[in-house]
Amino acid sequence: MMQIKVNDVARSFDGDPNLPLLWYLRDVLGLTGTKFGCGMALCGACTVHQDGKAIRSCVTSVSAAAGKEITTIEAISKNGLHVVQQKWIEYNVPQCGYCQSGQIMQAISLLKEKPRPSDEDIDGGMSGNICRCGTYQRIRAAIKAAAGEQA
Amino acid sequence: MSDNILNVSRRGFLQGIVSTGALVLSVRMIPEVLWAAETSAGSHADRAVLRPSVFVGIDTDGTVYLVAHRSEMGTSSRTSVPLILADELDADWKRVKIEQAMGDPRYGSQDTDGSHSVRDGFTTMREAGATARLMLTQAAAQKWGVPVSECESDLHVIVHRPSKRKAGYGELASAAAKLPVPKKEDLQFKPKSAWRYIGKGTSSYDLVDLCTGKAGFGMDARLDGMVYASIEHPPVLGGKVKSYDEKAPLQVKGVKQTIPIKPFTPPHHFQPLGGVAVIADNSWAAFQGRKKLNVAWDNGANASYNSDQYKKELQDTARKPGKVVRNIGDVDTAFAKGGKVIAADYYVPLLAHATMEPPVALADYRDGKVTVWAPTQNPQAVQETVGEELGIPKENVTCHVTLLGGGFGRKSKPDYAAEAAILSKAVGKPVKVVWSREDDIKFGYYHAVAAMYMKALVDEKGKPTAWLQRSVFPPIGSTFALNTTYGDAGEMGLGWTDLPFDIPNHRAENGPAENHVRIGWFRSVANIYHAFAAQSFANELAHASGRDSVEYLLELIGPARIIDVKASAPDYDNYDGSPAEYPLDTARMRRVVELAAEKAGWGKRKMGKGSGMGIAVHRSFLTYVATVAEVEVDDKGEVKIPAVHTAVDAGTVVNPEATRAQFEGAAVFGTSIVRSGAITAKNGVIEQSNFHDYPVARMNEAPYKTSVYMVDSDAPPAGVGEPGVPPFAPAVCNAIFAATGKRIRELPLSKSSANT
């Protein structure tokens, strides 16, 4: 029996310990805001926070996340929208939107580490997250705007 | 497997994240906003009090229900098409609720491709809006006992001008519903000056949901008691299962059973590929179970397909006379006279769509009827395909359209929805078929690989007096009919027969090619390789004569005129647009070239070492686009794209913000094509599998800044989803030439010798 905390809810799980966290969140818990894109940590669609830091849930087993605090897009903000989400909305970032949960989770994590990220910081922090619609220009602008607001 | 909540914090309760049941799995998770309204009894729009058209319903509380009959894959169709109706109805957008239509012929075509949703909907939506507005106006006039001509709409109310009395749409809905629906000829459209939304646009209706994880994609559809399926497809197109291990997959925790799926009957069309499905209680277990299937395959004839050999064959064919698809003057006689001849070969490989959401569908079969939830570009095609596969009438197939995590043409083909339906019938439960990324890359409906041969005779100023262009590619028609080796008029009309150059002797040809994989539509389709060849070659001619690229391109286009393409290419279909409404107008093409060049500072800026600008222009989906790309190439040949300037004449633009986003996105999509996209096969098996060996553009590789300039136009609306893609690759490759002197004739750069 593994114990894991997801969005402030402590849970126990007795299924396959190798089950990736992504599928635990999506198929077992029904938290479908976190997306499947590649299964190999190549695209970032599955990004969630583990103890506040961005991880790829598609290659993190439930057993590896046991005892940790997992936060998904559904619970990223305690009060209304997170400033990153607000800027995503203000800059009309999403097109199809499928990758954007992961992009937002990655961006929040980046801004925690680098509150005033340079272009290189943004490239470094965000290049693991693929957007096939090509919203990168707006993602960059939204991150800079969120950094400005946070500061 | 069970999952239990040990304790719930106050925050968890407040946010409503957790259900009270121990097994959240059993909770129906289909979001109300998208799907719950569309029961077989009809949508809210159908049930509303005033319902003058299938696209709109108005209730007594003033809520306006608008039906989005086209799919949302990121192009904003679901917002922009209803927005046209809302504008003509003079409705308050804040009081509009959009409902996604199920597949139903009463909406007309729901096929969301060809960049034609706004174009097709522009008149239909205005008619529906004007109808509702007129009925509300008549009801108000009746209520007040005044002439209709004294009443007019003003944002969700009807106003009696002389007395300034007002009545809201909700208040008038019941009375309006009793009136006869007016005839089309009695409708009056608002003048452009009165448009509230058209030309101003609005954010995506789903914007907040998309930023909070609440939006419902196909991947997110859930039903009580559903199981998950993953399918081991034949590695070679047309392959068949010889044998497999039924038992071993069951050793994987969560796997319930294996089910063979019959191979397709050629031609493959939208039929499932066949193979063996593994059914499990979660997606991952189904993936793991597949690894133990140990399938022995009969690969069939396509096992002889090797991309290296095939490329040589295409290139050989491109050097031989082909079928003439357009002819002006006499190219042969002109070439026979001799002079300076320039020729070049171009090549673009197979490409995969790689939508971020891989193909996925949920189906629930019961008693001869099936309900499907799918991220599909064409729900009516889902109904037809599923009906054929199950041997039931298509009317017994209900198709709910979810949001699409990208489409790009892949989700026009509903093979994955048919798989879910077949498996639900076999299992007796709702089944969600989930394609892995590997499935998506290896079993696509690929963008055709193409070889082009170009040859021109130029005069002393470098201007062509004869021009021959030949393209060879496995046609999309091969998906629908056996032994189809030539492109159809549609494919040839995608940037080949309609090349608007002013050349006295001009011939376009097409050579034959057999398909060995499934070939399908891909964002902007044949325009990609046709524009790459034509616009690269035009640039080669400019440089060969030492001319400025922009000035030379304008000379090639020639004077402002309307080109009657059919006079030289009788089969030309002009994207099904009438030549009267959508003529091929070189004045518009010249204007976008001039605008892009001006905005980029063409000829006025000094570019540093290893830097350069390139231009390309292309008309597709009835929209004119010129792109100037700036590149920087370092000592290692690594290419960066600091800026892109795109000028667009798409006629009347309904949603400028969404349009700008489409062209920004097209530059990134185009970057993938230029830099890295290539699908290849060995012994009939696709060699790529995921984003490590089929890379798509990432943030650090994408253009740093794409600026989009829209030409103000009163012309009817044209496409915006696709037309940004075709000129992008040649613009970048022309820029690379300007920066380095290296000419790229083969895509992608990673495969091109010019990269080293």
Side-chain angles (χ1 to χ4, degrees), chain B residues 3-25:
Chain B
D3 167 76
N4 292 295
I5 299 168
L6 299 180
N7 66 58
V8 177
S9 70
R10 185 174 146 74
R11 180 183 153 208
F13 263 123
L14 286 176
Q15 294 197 334
I17 290 159
V18 182
S19 85
T20 47
L23 267 176
V24 185
L25 184 63

Side-chain angles (χ1 to χ4, degrees), chain B residues 421 511 584 665 671:
Chain B
L584 173 44
T671 300

Side-chain angles (χ1 to χ4, degrees), chain B residues 492-650:
Chain B
M492 300 325 300
L494 300 177
W496 209 236
T497 51
D498 57 349
L499 188 65
F501 286 171
D502 183 24
I503 302 168
N505 304 291
H506 186 168
R507 191 163 79 206
E509 297 180 11
N510 172 225
E514 286 180 10
N515 74 296
H516 299 285
V517 292
R518 301 192 294 183
I519 301 294
W521 310 284
F522 175 99
R523 191 179 187 179
S524 81
V525 203
N527 286 296
I528 292 172
Y529 42 80
H530 287 155
F532 176 60
Q535 292 295 311
S536 296
F537 191 58
N539 194 254
E540 294 210 38
L541 299 189
H543 283 285
S545 54
R547 305 268 300 272
D548 174 75
S549 299
V550 169
E551 179 238 315
Y552 186 87
L553 190 54
L554 289 169
E555 188 179 293
L556 265 182
I557 295 166
R561 66 200 184 282
I562 304 294
I563 296 180
D564 176 9
V565 181
K566 275 178 106 60
S568 57
D571 293 338
Y572 181 64
D573 67 7
N574 198 38
Y575 299 87
D576 294 327
S578 80
E581 264 194 304
Y582 293 100
L584 173 44
D585 183 347
T586 56
R588 295 175 71 182
M589 186 161 253
R590 292 180 65 91
R591 194 178 306 136
V592 290
V593 169
E594 288 160 352
L595 181 59
E598 179 208 320
K599 295 291 184 181
W602 185 275
K604 294 188 175 129
R605 288 167 53 200
K606 198 165 161 57
M607 305 301 282
K609 182 177 173 287
S611 294
M613 276 192 204
I615 188 162
V617 64
H618 191 75
R619 173 186 182 260
S620 65
F621 306 93
L622 308 169
T623 288
Y624 303 78
V625 184
T627 293
V628 172
E630 296 180 27
V631 304
E632 289 170 10
V633 187
D634 70 15
D635 296 343
K636 293 177 191 136
E638 182 61 29
V639 176
K640 278 202 174 305
I641 309 169
V644 175
H645 311 268
T646 291
V648 179
D649 180 352

Side-chain angles (χ1 to χ4, degrees), chain B residues 170-184:
Chain B
E171 188 187 336
L172 295 166
S174 298
K178 297 193 180 81
L179 299 170
V181 174
K183 295 192 185 83
K184 269 190 197 176

Side-chain angles (χ1 to χ4, degrees), chain B residues 715-740:
Chain B
V720 301
E722 296 168 271
V725 176
F728 187 82
V732 169
C733 293
N734 293 341
I736 291 172
F737 183 84
T740 66

